[in-house]
């Protein structure tokens, strides 16, 4: 528990709107009555803002229209007053060029929704990739009592008796279609069975990674992040979260009471043990820095060397998130990590992480392994060198081991469009040793750093049986993807990073065990190329112009420079 005295009704933020006897409060109360509410609904009660990211085009959150009713039910049961606040809905497959372009937009919207309204506590409803970090970033900056309700993974896919995983099996069978080993009819049939329910990706993609991180940080009820979206435990969890947030308001248990460096380290350890998405490096850096914790890429690499992958879940492993839940879920995984964790970190239920996992057990040991029998040595490696002075990342557990030490000639593409136009041509000069390089796909270059980093294997090589090759870009990669893909090269090409100077034929050397990535080109030649380099023209107006002017690089978390730090905005004036 926080040890703080229980708050009185007149200490609530909402009291400034509803409890004062003046002209403005008259207006607030009369307008609440206009919607059919009376003093019995809100007077002296915590007002809970439910930030709901449901929309008609967000498949991961399709059930939130119903689940918000469960959250409200819990709030009412505990004596609170629920108010639903719709927020921007970031549908990962649908939003172009990338939901990452709008993560900070949603973070700002979350902070301002909570700040500008008479809200005492917040329930954040999210799960699809960028939604979780965005909601947490905004709530951390606002710093009122907050609980996170994860969307939950969808049911596992099925095709002709085979279990399918979202993303991972899409990439795998797409390569087989291009290689001619399955038919277009097979591919179309698979489309009907791979996404069988609402909920986010059921592989260990970015969505599952970030909701597990949210829980390990302390923002979810114990075990909440593992519950499949279609399971009846999910609506019960939603109601329990609604009840708990009311008590959190009275206790004044805020994000600043929960987030500390030890909690962030716990989250990184969880990420490594799960074989989580490389995107977690960007999102967790941004989340931590909103709390004043100066997290860097080097900390990820330090922990990666200590914590092996023990979740046997695709793309690093064999099973899916539904199996992970049956095996005991995130609590069981954290129990395996218990000797490595800071167990005294506070969580939203008022108990410590150690207390929350005390009785956890692994029910399916082939799904959740022990530390003494990992499925892979490292989930993430951070490389530095002349090609990436500020760092880049690779997921060794999802790559062909032979490519973790590799030297080869570059085949460089200036844009994704150029790559797409050439990659399947029969006259493409490429071998299995070639290093595919994609430029101008980073935060400024794309813009928004899309998940273009898993560059397709050239069709002529697929037909030869090649299924992995070294690929390098300043883009991101879906957490559901796999392969020897070096990502997040920083600084990116569009701001003049060394990646911008790579030309076809240049030798590139990658040594993952040594944590090196180097462009083997003489300095005088690089200087000549740099003198010829031209920056990308500015966007003419709007959000894209603001984004490009203020976005940080990948190793800094891709937050806006004006959103970083812990300085709070003042409470709004009420006149």
């Amino acid at each position: 528990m926080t040890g703080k005295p229980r708050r009185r009704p007149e200490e609530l933020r909402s009291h400034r709107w509803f409890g004062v006897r003046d002209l403005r409060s008259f207006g607030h109360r009369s307008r609440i009555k206009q919607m059919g509410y009376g003093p019995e609904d809100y007077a002296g009660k915590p007002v809970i803002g439910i930030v709901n990211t449901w929309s008609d085009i967000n498949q991961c959150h399709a059930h939130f229209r119903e689940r918000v009713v469960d959250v409200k039910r819990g709030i009412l049961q505990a004596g609170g007053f629920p108010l639903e606040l719709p927020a921007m809905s970031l549908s990962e497959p649908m939003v172009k060029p990338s939901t990452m372009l709008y993560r900070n937009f949603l973070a700002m919207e979350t902070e301002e929704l909570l700040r500008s309204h008479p809200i005492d506590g917040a329930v954040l409803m999210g799960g699809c990739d960028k939604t979780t970090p965005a909601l947490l970033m905004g709530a951390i900056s606002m710093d009122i009592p907050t609980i996170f309700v994860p969307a939950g993974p969808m049911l596992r896919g099925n095709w002709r008796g085979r279990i399918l995983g979202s993303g991972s099996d899409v990439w795998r069978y797409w390569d087989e279609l291009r290689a001619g080993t399955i038919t277009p009819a097979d591919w179309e049939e698979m489309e009907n069975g791979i996404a069988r329910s609402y909920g986010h990706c059921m592989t260990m993609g970015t969505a599952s990674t970030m909701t597990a991180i949210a829980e390990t940080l302390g923002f979810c009820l114990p075990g909440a992040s593992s519950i499949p979206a279609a399971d009846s435990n999910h609506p019960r969890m939603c109601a329990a979260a609604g009840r708990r947030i009311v008590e959190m308001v009275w206790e004044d248990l805020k994000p600043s009471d929960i987030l500390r460096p030890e909690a962030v380290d716990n989250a990184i350890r969880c990420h490594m043990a799960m074989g989580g998405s490389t995107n977690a490096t960007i999102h967790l850096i941004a989340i931590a820095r909103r709390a004043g914790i100066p997290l860097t890429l080097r900390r990820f690499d330090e922990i990666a060397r200590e914590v092996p992958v023990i979740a046997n879940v695709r793309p690093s492993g064999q099973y899916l998130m539904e199996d992970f839940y049956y095996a005991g879920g995130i609590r069981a995984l954290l129990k395996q990590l218990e000797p490595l964790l800071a167990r005294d970190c506070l969580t939203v239920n008022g108990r410590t992480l150690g207390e929350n996992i005390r009785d956890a057990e692994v029910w399916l040991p082939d799904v959740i392994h022990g530390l003494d029998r990992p499925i892979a040595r490292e989930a993430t490696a951070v490389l530095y060198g002349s090609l990436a002075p500020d760092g880049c990342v690779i997921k060794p557990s999802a790559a062909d081991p032979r490519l973790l030490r590799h030297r080869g000639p570059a085949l460089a593409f200036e844009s994704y469009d150029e790559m797409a136009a050439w990659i399947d041509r029969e006259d493409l000069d490429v071998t299995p040793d070639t290093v595919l390089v994609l430029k101008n796909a980073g935060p400024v270059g794309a813009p928004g750093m899309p998940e273009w980093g898993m560059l397709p294997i050239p069709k002529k090589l697929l037909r030869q049986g090649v299924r992995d090759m070294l690929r390098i870009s300043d883009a991101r990669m879906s957490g559901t993807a796999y392969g020897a893909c070096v990502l997040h090269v920083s600084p990116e090409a569009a701001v003049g990073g060394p990646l911008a100077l790579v030309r076809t034929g240049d030798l590139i050397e990658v040594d993952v065990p040594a944590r090196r990535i180097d462009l083997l080109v003489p300095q005088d030649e690089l200087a000549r190329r740099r003198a010829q380099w031209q920056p990308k023209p500015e966007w003419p107006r709007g959000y894209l112009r603001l984004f490009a002017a203020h976005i940080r690089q990948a190793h800094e978390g891709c937050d806006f420079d004006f959103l970083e730090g812990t300085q709070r905005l003042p409470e709004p004036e009420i006149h």
Side-chain angles (χ1 to χ4, degrees), residues 80 109 147 184 202 206 209 238 269 277 285 288 297 302 313 381 400 413 433 461 464 467 498 509 528 549 571:
E109 183 180 20
I147 195 168
M202 71 310 226
T206 305
T209 300
C238 291
R269 291 185 179 100
S277 166
I285 287 172
L297 274 177
E302 290 168 359
V313 179
D400 187 328
F413 300 103
D433 291 328
L461 295 183
Q464 297 171 23
R467 291 298 182 269
E509 185 169 39
R528 187 183 68 79
E571 285 288 332

Side-chain angles (χ1 to χ4, degrees), residues 310-561:
I310 61 173
N312 190 9
V313 179
R314 301 179 196 181
S316 296
Q318 175 184 0
Y319 294 97
L320 296 172
M321 288 303 295
E322 189 176 342
D323 307 294
F324 182 75
Y325 176 62
Y326 301 146
I330 190 65
R331 292 176 65 248
L333 180 130
L334 293 175
K335 185 68 175 179
Q336 302 307 298
L337 295 179
E338 190 171 24
L340 306 177
L341 298 175
R343 289 168 286 172
D344 61 343
C345 292
L346 192 62
T347 71
V348 291
N349 69 347
R351 300 185 181 92
T352 65
L353 183 67
E355 290 173 315
N356 289 341
I357 64 173
R358 182 173 294 159
D359 62 348
E361 294 187 50
V362 175
W363 304 115
L364 299 173
D366 194 40
V367 180
I368 300 176
H369 290 211
L371 289 171
D372 59 341
R373 54 184 198 98
I375 68 162
R377 192 167 63 87
E378 292 176 327
T380 302
V382 180
L383 315 181
Y384 295 91
S386 61
L387 189 55
D390 292 326
C392 57
V393 301
I394 186 173
K395 191 172 186 176
S397 61
D400 187 328
R402 70 179 176 82
L403 294 168
L404 299 181
R405 277 196 178 101
H406 185 76
R407 177 189 287 197
L411 176 57
F413 300 103
E414 295 295 323
S415 68
Y416 193 91
D417 286 345
E418 182 186 27
M419 182 278 298
W422 278 88
I423 202 69
D424 285 340
R425 287 179 53 154
E426 292 299 324
D427 60 346
L428 187 68
D429 187 9
V430 62
T431 74
D433 291 328
T434 299
V435 179
L436 302 181
V437 176
L438 175 64
K439 311 181 197 179
N440 298 306
V444 175
M449 204 179 181
E451 293 181 340
W452 295 344
M454 187 184 171
L455 304 180
I457 306 295
K459 186 182 289 187
K460 64 190 292 184
L461 295 183
L462 286 173
R463 289 199 294 265
Q464 297 171 23
V466 175
R467 291 298 182 269
D468 199 5
M469 60 192 301
L470 190 61
R471 290 158 276 182
I472 298 173
S473 73
D474 46 13
R476 296 177 302 108
M477 177 174 83
S478 168
T480 67
Y482 54 85
C485 301
V486 177
L487 311 157
H488 312 179
V489 171
S490 188
E492 64 175 305
V495 299
L499 189 68
L501 309 181
V502 178
R503 293 187 179 177
T504 294
D506 291 346
L507 280 180
I508 293 175
E509 185 169 39
V510 168
D511 188 333
V512 173
R515 299 304 199 252
R516 293 292 305 178
I517 181 167
D518 289 298
L519 176 61
L520 305 180
V521 174
Q523 288 299 314
D524 57 346
E525 171 61 16
L526 292 177
R528 187 183 68 79
R529 294 179 190 180
R530 182 166 295 285
Q532 298 172 345
W533 178 78
Q534 295 292 325
K536 179 180 178 177
E538 288 187 347
W539 294 98
R541 58 177 293 278
Y543 179 71
L544 291 182
R545 182 158 184 165
L546 180 148
F547 184 95
H550 294 283
I551 194 69
R552 295 291 197 188
Q553 287 293 291
H555 71 285
E556 300 169 304
C558 292
D559 205 353
F560 288 151
D561 52 17

Side-chain angles (χ1 to χ4, degrees), residues 246-262:
V246 176
E247 287 305 305
M248 288 176 66
V249 170
W250 291 125
E251 295 167 8
D252 197 26
L253 177 55
K254 303 188 297 292
S256 57
D257 300 311
I258 292 171
L259 264 184
R260 55 191 181 101
E262 294 83 357

